[in-house]
Amino acid sequence: MQIAGDYNVQFSAQLMNPDSAECDVWFWFAKNGNNIPDSSTIISLHGNDGKSVPSWNYMLRMNANDYIQIYWHSNDIDMRILARPAQSNPTRPAIPSLIATIQQVAI
């Protein structure tokens, strides 16, 4: 961030589990390369193309030149954050794999 203040960090991710096993996916935040305590969440996905769109927001106090990262992990090597191209019949827009928004809420 170029300006110090309080920021609302929001994201959503399009998850897909293509195999038949249930799997867990962890998401968490890091600031300046360091994990943020109590910022992790587990999402469980059922197999056979099970899909989920986890999304949440996190309020952070940031100093000038701080940076934020969103990490994810799954023990299932087939688990993925999925993107899809635009489709037709009917026409519909592409699905991005992840959407992130960072908005300053106070200085």
Side-chain angles (χ1 to χ4, degrees), residues 42-53:
I42 297 174
I43 305 296
S44 294
L45 282 178
H46 299 288
N48 298 322
D49 291 333
K51 296 176 184 71
S52 180
V53 182

Side-chain angles (χ1 to χ4, degrees), residues 7-26:
Y7 286 83
N8 183 11
V9 179
Q10 304 172 44
F11 84 95
S12 64
Q14 177 72 51
L15 302 180
M16 186 180 87
N17 180 12
D19 62 27
S20 61
E22 184 171 308
C23 71
D24 290 333
V25 183
W26 287 261

Side-chain angles (χ1 to χ4, degrees), residues 82-100:
L82 178 69
R84 291 240 168 114
Q87 303 290 307
S88 59
N89 289 333
T91 301
R92 51 202 184 273
I95 299 172
S97 56
L98 193 132
I99 298 170

